[in-house]
Amino acid sequence: MRIVVLTGGIGGARFLLGVRAYAREVGAEVTAVVNVGDDLLLHGLKVCPDLDSVMYTLGGGADPERGWGRVGESWTVKQELAAYGAEPSWFGLGDKDIATHLVRTTMLNAGYPLHAVTEALATRWQPGVRLLPATDDRLETHAVVDLDGGQRAIHFQEWWVRHRAAVPTHRFVFVGAETAKPAPGVAEAIAGADVVLIAPSNPVVSIAPILAVPGLRAAVADGPAPVVGVSPIIGGAPVRGMADRCLEVLGVECSAAGVGRLYGGRPAGGLLDGWLVAEEDAGTVVPEVTVRAAPLRMTDEAATVAMVRAALELT
Ligand code: FO1
């Protein structure tokens, strides 16, 4: 059995722990197609937050509280950069994390594509699933906001970390999406999947940038595999992060139904065959989608495995 998971962010990384555990039980192969819209160049280093969150989480190196960066981290370089007044100081790179960005940036500068760099980094971490960036090309999420008396596009991380989304926001733009190509293996993995899962990630800034890569939305919507999504919204609120602020920018209701309808039912030209919602949201209706309620709090790996099973039962 081949499972493909569209994923991004911290919730997506946690979900993959359950997918991997389930796959080990049944002998399935897992390919994670990971969002790159959060990626940024910082102090000359290429930082890939969602790829790193998945790699560190599955590799056992993630800080369990923060969800991003390394456990047992130190911040000496960050302090030294601040002593030089080196901006931006609002995005903290830990000392251990910097080693990842140094290796990645060195390999990228040597001409290796991002999927090859990701594979090389994963050799150390052994995540137990195949990690693929959605694209090797530049695709960056920017937010068009009102700042300093005018409208400006700022990088997603500046919106997310510096402003905590607390700035008037008009829309998101996926810079580079028009010319980005699926990374090698992504379209093939989707075409060869027995099931495609959409992780309980932020639908606007984690899943949408994946689907914005030309060809990927169609690969999922028109592909042979059933597609089941897991709601990131429970009882009208995101479990963590700021999906509520992101959905507000799109004018989409912050609910399991709102996100389910945003993805849409496959017969109606959308993506979903199944939509797994929390028990709090039982009774959610998404036109032309089979909806089922189950406990969705990923309190531990066993709880997440149960979610994965419930999602797969929808296929
Ligand atoms: N999030 C923060 O709120 N503050 C930070 O200083 C920060 C640094 C950081 C460094 C590396 C990395 O991979 C992630 C980092 N994040 C930080 C989290 C990041 O903004 C989010 O994990 C994703 O981009 C959205 O899920």
Side-chain angles (χ1 to χ4, degrees):
M1 179 187 194
R2 292 181 298 268
I3 303 171
V4 169
V5 186
L6 307 187
T7 183
I10 295 157
R14 294 218 165 114
F15 180 68
L16 274 167
L17 283 170
V19 178
R20 179 181 67 179
Y22 172 82
R24 282 173 175 165
E25 281 175 27
V26 303
E29 291 164 30
V30 180
T31 299
V33 177
V34 185
N35 171 44
V36 297
D38 297 5
D39 295 4
L40 74 162
L41 264 181
L42 199 72
H43 308 298
L45 298 178
K46 175 83 169 183
V47 179
C48 299
D50 284 358
L51 282 164
D52 290 347
S53 280
V54 175
M55 184 173 74
Y56 290 156
T57 299
L58 294 178
D63 180 286
E65 292 314 310
R66 266 186 277 117
W68 54 267
R70 291 287 307 282
V71 66
E73 187 58 281
S74 56
W75 307 91
T76 305
V77 174
K78 178 179 191 298
Q79 288 152 8
E80 287 299 303
L81 285 167
Y84 280 114
E87 287 301 328
S89 54
W90 45 264
F91 195 85
L93 292 180
D95 298 327
K96 294 181 179 176
D97 197 29
I98 285 171
T100 300
H101 312 317
L102 285 169
V103 170
R104 176 183 293 120
T105 306
T106 304
M107 288 187 72
L108 289 171
N109 291 342
Y112 290 94
L114 183 59
H115 73 272
V117 175
T118 304
E119 194 173 344
L121 293 170
T123 304
R124 171 189 172 187
W125 290 101
Q126 294 298 310
V129 308
R130 189 176 172 214
L131 300 186
L132 286 178
T135 176
D136 283 338
D137 302 319
R138 180 171 180 258
L139 190 154
E140 269 181 26
T141 303
H142 287 218
V144 177
V145 300
D146 290 340
L147 262 188
D148 313 325
Q151 265 198 29
R152 282 174 49 202
I154 59 176
H155 189 282
F156 166 76
Q157 294 295 353
E158 184 163 2
W159 185 76
W160 185 265
V161 178
R162 185 178 190 184
H163 297 288
R164 292 276 172 231
V167 59
T169 307
H170 299 279
R171 65 187 180 283
F172 295 104
V173 179
F174 303 134
V175 177
E178 305 73 34
T179 52
K181 293 180 296 306
V186 170
E188 295 82 351
I190 294 168
D194 295 296
V195 60
V196 175
L197 296 176
I198 301 181
S201 302
N202 185 315
V204 180
V205 295
S206 291
I207 301 299
I210 297 173
L211 298 170
V213 177
L216 286 193
R217 176 179 287 276
V220 176
D222 306 338
V227 180
V228 179
V230 180
S231 176
I233 305 296
I234 297 182
V239 175
R240 68 179 291 159
M242 297 182 279
D244 48 347
R245 293 300 320 270
C246 299
L247 289 163
E248 189 183 332
V249 174
L250 268 55
V252 172
E253 181 189 85
C254 183
S255 66
V259 177
R261 291 180 191 138
L262 179 63
Y263 288 140
R266 196 197 305 237
L271 296 165
L272 297 178
D273 297 297
W275 185 234
L276 191 67
V277 303
E279 289 168 316
E280 295 89 325
D281 300 308
T284 293
V285 173
V286 178
E288 310 205 62
V289 176
T290 308
V291 180
R292 174 163 303 163
L296 287 195
R297 294 203 182 274
M298 299 186 279
T299 46
D300 59 18
E301 193 172 274
T304 312
V305 172
M307 279 167 63
V308 174
R309 285 186 186 284
L312 294 173
E313 277 160 21
L314 267 169
T315 60

